[in-house]
Amino acid sequence: IAHDIENIHRLLRPIFWISLVLMVCAGASEISMAQWASAYAESALGLSKSIGDIAGPCLFAVMMGISRTFYGKYGEKIDLTKFMIASGTLCLICYLAAALAPYPLLNLTGCVVCGFSVGIMWPGTISISSSKIPLGGTALFALLAMAGDMGGSIGPFVIGFVTQNTGDDLKAGMLAGCIFPAVLILSVFLLRQSLTDIVRGGARDAHAEQRAELSFHVQQRPHGKQREQSAEQRKQKRRHAAHEQGCERHANDDDRK
């Protein structure tokens, strides 16, 4: 039981709570646009059902796949948190474009490009959390997945609720959905700051260990008069040992005579 409690305490660190908020916002930003893209293309943009499905959710999914493929190929050369901040900013711009752009083509472009912007959020958060909370285990992944699913249900509900209470104005619902990418960007900044604090804390601990080890070696090393006294004591011990050996030889010679 004590071991389980210790693992829970290690899991419930600030970076864990930030990751939960980030997963909620990532799920909300992703699923809200994916689920409402078809209806948005039909009602707000005046497209048919078939064209709306192709131009909305289909292209949204394609752009999401492109985002994850891009990071999978070039991820070693890119700072993940910076990429997530840029993606969150792009996501907010896409929501604003979908809600406020004066031309239908720009509205649709905002819906489609949003897929690229949210593609890295879910896997990126899991990647950072698993590397910085190595003892989280399956509980960590389960809680993060739960937070993402929770966001995936909260986001569409908020957009639908606002749309219904503004005379079925889906653009107003999309504008209300901007809260999720905005909080997402803030969460990534806090996550980045938390990671920086962890790195600095580790560096301070390493320097403290080096200073302690150096101090120990310095204390163990004899100084000045201590070195002279130690050398003199060794000389006296050698002379005393030689004298005792000489006495033993004389005693042996007397016994033979």
Side-chain angles (χ1 to χ4, degrees):
I1 296 176
H3 179 68
D4 293 337
I5 294 175
E6 182 179 358
N7 286 338
I8 292 174
H9 282 300
R10 290 180 178 178
L11 177 63
L12 302 180
R13 297 161 57 185
I15 189 174
F16 169 74
W17 298 109
I18 297 173
S19 299
L20 280 186
V21 174
L22 183 55
M23 285 295 291
V24 170
C25 295
S29 301
E30 175 183 333
I31 305 301
S32 296
M33 187 65 76
Q35 287 191 356
W36 284 104
S38 178
Y40 182 75
E42 294 175 38
S43 63
L45 306 182
L47 301 177
S48 63
K49 172 65 176 175
S50 57
I51 299 299
D53 290 341
I54 294 174
C58 182
L59 292 180
F60 179 91
V62 170
M63 293 299 291
M64 182 182 291
I66 292 174
S67 172
R68 294 181 178 179
T69 302
F70 172 80
Y71 188 79
K73 184 173 179 61
Y74 301 103
E76 295 180 355
K77 303 178 183 179
I78 302 174
D79 187 333
L80 179 55
T81 56
K82 290 182 179 179
F83 188 63
M84 291 174 67
I85 291 172
S87 297
T89 303
L90 179 61
C91 182
L92 179 59
I93 293 174
C94 289
Y95 267 84
L96 291 173
L100 302 176
Y103 303 107
L105 182 59
L106 290 179
N107 298 132
L108 183 59
T109 301
C111 294
V112 172
V113 178
C114 184
F116 183 89
S117 66
V118 299
I120 194 60
M121 290 302 172
W122 193 301
T125 304
I126 292 177
S127 177
I128 292 176
S129 301
S130 61
S131 63
K132 298 304 178 183
I133 312 177
L135 298 178
T138 55
L140 173 64
F141 294 104
L143 291 171
L144 290 178
M146 180 194 69
D149 293 338
M150 184 184 301
S153 61
I154 293 174
F157 166 76
V158 170
I159 291 180
F161 180 81
V162 174
T163 298
Q164 185 177 9
N165 286 273
T166 54
D168 293 333
D169 186 0
L170 196 50
K171 286 190 174 183
M174 287 294 180
L175 185 61
C178 291
I179 185 64
F180 300 115
V183 177
L184 185 145
I185 296 171
L186 178 61
S187 299
V188 177
F189 272 112
L190 292 176
L191 184 64
R192 183 177 177 84
Q193 183 61 40
S194 180
L195 295 177
T196 303
D197 293 340
I198 291 174
V199 172
R200 290 176 178 174
R204 286 195 298 268
D205 293 341
H207 288 315
E209 291 180 359
Q210 291 177 355
R211 288 195 299 268
E213 184 177 358
L214 179 61
S215 176
F216 174 77
H217 288 304
V218 170
Q219 291 176 0
Q220 296 298 317
R221 187 182 304 165
H223 299 281
K225 293 182 178 180
Q226 293 181 354
R227 286 199 296 268
E228 294 177 0
Q229 292 176 359
S230 299
E232 185 65 27
Q233 289 175 357
R234 287 194 295 270
K235 290 180 181 179
Q236 291 179 358
K237 288 181 179 179
R238 286 196 293 269
R239 287 196 296 267
H240 182 68
H243 178 70
E244 289 183 349
Q245 290 177 359
C247 292
E248 289 180 358
R249 283 197 297 270
H250 286 303
N252 292 332
D253 292 339
D254 293 339
D255 291 340
R256 293 193 192 98
K257 293 177 180 179

